[in-house]
Amino acid sequence: MTKYRVAVDIGGTFTDLVALNERTGEVLNIKVPSTPKEPAKTVIKAFQKFLNETNDAEVSVIVHATTIATNALLGQLDLELPKTALIATSGFRDIIEIRRQRRHELYNLFLQKPRTLVPRRLRFEVEERIGPKGEVLTSLNKNQVESLAKQLKRENVKTVAVTLLFSYINQKHEREIEKILKKSLPRTYISLSSEIAPEYREYERISTTVVNAVLTPVISSYLDELQRKTRKLEVKAPLCIMQSDGGITTKNLISKKPVSMVESGPAAGVIASAFYGKLLGINNILSFDMGGTTAKAGVIKEATPEIVSEYEVAGKVHSGRIVKGSGYPVRHPFIDLAECSAGGGTIAWVDEGDALHVGPVSAGAEPGPPCYGRGGKQPTVTDANVVLGRLNPKYMLGGKMQIYQKLSEKAILEEICRKIRLELTEASAGIIKLVNAAMAKILRIVSVERGHDPRNFVAMCFGGAGPMHSCALAEELEITKIIVPLNPGLFSAYGLLAADFRNNSIKAFMKLIDDVDVRKVEAVFQKLELQGAKLLNKQRVSRGKMHFIRQMDLRYYGQSYELTSSTSKPFTERTLRKTVESFHKKHETIYGYAVEKERVELVNIRVIAVGLVKKPRLKEKPLNQEKPEKDAIIAQRKVFFEQDNEYVKISIYKRERLKAGNVISGPAVIEQYDATTVVYPDWIASVDRFGNIVLSMKNGGN
């Protein structure tokens, strides 16, 4: 039997399966259209295709990324949210509805806030009170909780969020409530805020716990169904899930804390970029992923993906930024991403003032762009690329999927040209310019707005549509080097195979640095490391593969938000001074200033428990001559380039026939099974020893 590690990533348009042969390092790539209403069905379809193509496959592990959690909160059909109850300290049940004083549309008099996930009639209060130092001021009224348990049973509540005041310091009362509820309601899911988000900021802690409670039945049901169906195919491998912070965890653990996987899919691409960067010796990378529905940008600085500690789930996106107050705040580590509605399936349209727009609506997998021939009528970015000659006008997926150029032309002529009197080429080029402008903006958000100069970074461009737009975006940001990985359309799925197990533990510790007892801090670090080690043990990670990262959340005294700084062990006075110095430097990098004489406050102590997994081995190939073989050129085609403002007849290369060491001078187009790379006139494409396409500006960009 041949052992494979399998990764499955569900996208808005396609679902990708990557199977890694553990002995040879060879990779099998499979792409099937997504079925958004039945995500498990698509995964099984991809698995069936994989098993049909391999006679003696034995799957050792399945790693999965999915957006089902976000889709449920966005109100996707067939993903009905379960009946959820909230138990809060007496007088505090309405915090979840009062929220913060934020209006995501400041001047909209008819503003609709996000629907409250727990209706008021299912928000209950209990008599109890823990003080700000963890002291018990009022004991829990257990009779009241027992009575409440009976009421929840009558209401047929499926899941409960328990969010008591100051429980992040002392979880005694939350534990007592859990014990009573489990006795009366053994099949009801229970989420405790002291476990889900044990840190201060009351509203955010409640919001995070409620989101977790709402998602628990949805995710548990989906993963149970998926595992049941894979086992019917005789695949009995353990199921692991990608988390929002770029780490993986087991099915059993994620089922209890699904709030940690709401941005599961987008995180995988950044992890793949970081893995490739280490392999190629590149520390600073701008990760750019353009798929069928959205485009996403992330940043890897000094070989480490940038992480944020809060995210607004199911919020509205404006100019690549999640609008504060438009979604549900979640306190959990997330890979720092900016995204916009700019994918291959994003629809172009004309407004009442005769202005051309692209997005935010997408044609998705069903019906898809008109050129797919599945009934789509509205023109998309993919159709514009077909008209401009950048995409193969006859087929995709190596000939397995037919393309209808006439349908693309018809859609753009009827929906765009006739309304604003543009020629077909003008309209198509305009669509590409608009979508490129939106994507350049998200790249600036994760670089310039975070204090990074994009000119000092290498762009890693992937996704089915990413390499087609990479040169235009690089020119806009003055980036002189681009990496297009071997299988860009399946690259995010590849990132799943490179991800380590990752568990986050946090302890609130509100103290001024001058008052910190380093021995107490060291004791907290050791306790959190022990918790992390226990979780890794449950995930069958051996002690030798465990690695612990220590961090501290710091801020200037009086500030509202903190920055996370790494620290080392053992924690001594010297370590403390170095960590504070690191905080000052980080503050200056992000905000442009540091006040070293100002008092610094320690807010939280964090430990990331990492379980190292065996990384995929990329096959190295010997370098060949610069000139590609004659059979690498499969056609000549007229392609439109905005620099020339006309169609240019160029060579079309088949990527599978290019060899390491080959060099192609732009303009050119390189086609492959899962993506198309457009090499602009001022660029040179070379194939490195791993089969990646390295795009470099001619004359170094001068």
Side-chain angles (χ1 to χ4, degrees), residues 301 325 340 365 379 587:
K301 179 74 173 172
C340 61
H587 198 282

Side-chain angles (χ1 to χ4, degrees), residues 18-194:
V18 170
L20 177 74
N21 186 316
E22 292 188 12
R23 184 177 59 83
T24 65
E26 290 182 357
V27 174
L28 180 65
N29 302 311
I30 290 169
K31 211 171 183 72
V32 296
S34 294
T35 50
K37 292 182 181 179
E38 297 177 275
K41 182 180 177 182
T42 311
V43 176
I44 297 306
K45 189 177 178 182
F47 256 102
Q48 287 171 334
K49 198 172 180 183
F50 159 65
L51 294 171
N52 288 337
E53 292 185 21
T54 53
N55 298 322
D56 61 342
E58 181 188 344
V59 180
S60 60
V61 66
I62 304 167
V63 189
H64 182 34
T66 174
T67 54
I68 188 171
T70 306
N71 294 344
L73 293 170
L74 286 169
Q76 181 181 308
L77 293 174
D78 303 320
L79 285 176
E80 186 179 344
L81 295 182
K83 202 171 194 180
T84 308
L86 170 68
I87 298 176
T89 302
S90 183
F92 290 87
R93 68 171 176 164
D94 292 324
I95 291 290
I96 191 174
E97 192 157 357
I98 295 169
R99 300 182 169 96
R100 294 285 182 189
Q101 190 63 30
R102 283 177 178 149
R103 292 173 62 87
H104 58 276
E105 293 177 40
L106 198 58
Y107 302 107
N108 183 355
L109 299 178
F110 306 100
L111 175 71
Q112 291 289 317
K113 290 185 177 181
R115 60 175 174 154
T116 306
L117 294 173
V118 184
R120 197 166 196 269
R121 68 180 190 84
L122 292 177
R123 301 201 295 261
F124 303 98
E125 297 178 347
V126 291
E127 290 177 18
E128 68 83 38
R129 193 61 179 262
I130 301 285
K133 294 180 181 178
E135 71 277 23
V136 177
L137 300 177
T138 304
S139 296
L140 177 68
N141 186 332
K142 293 183 181 180
N143 292 332
Q144 190 181 19
V145 178
E146 287 169 358
S147 174
L148 180 56
K150 293 175 184 176
Q151 189 174 348
L152 294 176
K153 194 171 187 177
R154 287 195 301 271
E155 289 281 359
N156 196 27
V157 165
K158 301 295 182 188
T159 178
V160 181
V162 183
T163 59
L164 304 182
L165 213 59
F166 295 111
S167 60
Y168 63 91
I169 299 174
N170 183 350
Q171 60 175 188
K172 181 175 183 287
H173 289 171
E174 285 197 352
R175 285 287 183 203
E176 289 174 353
I177 291 173
E178 180 188 37
K179 189 176 179 181
I180 294 168
L181 293 182
K182 277 188 173 179
K183 189 176 180 180
S184 302
L185 306 163
R187 294 185 179 180
T188 301
Y189 298 97
I190 301 167
S191 297
L192 305 182
S193 70
S194 54

Side-chain angles (χ1 to χ4, degrees), residues 622-633:
L623 296 178
N624 289 269
Q625 61 184 20
E626 288 191 1
K627 188 176 180 180
E629 299 286 344
K630 286 183 180 179
D631 69 344
I633 298 175

Side-chain angles (χ1 to χ4, degrees), residues 426-446:
E426 274 184 298
S428 301
I431 291 168
I432 300 303
K433 282 182 182 177
L434 285 174
V435 80
N436 283 345
M439 295 187 295
K441 193 172 286 184
I442 64 170
L443 284 164
R444 286 194 184 94
I445 288 171
V446 296

Side-chain angles (χ1 to χ4, degrees), residues 584-599:
H584 289 309
K585 287 178 184 176
K586 190 169 186 178
H587 198 282
E588 187 168 14
T589 299
I590 294 174
Y591 299 112
Y593 73 96
V595 191
E596 295 187 13
K597 292 182 180 179
E598 185 62 67
R599 289 184 296 173

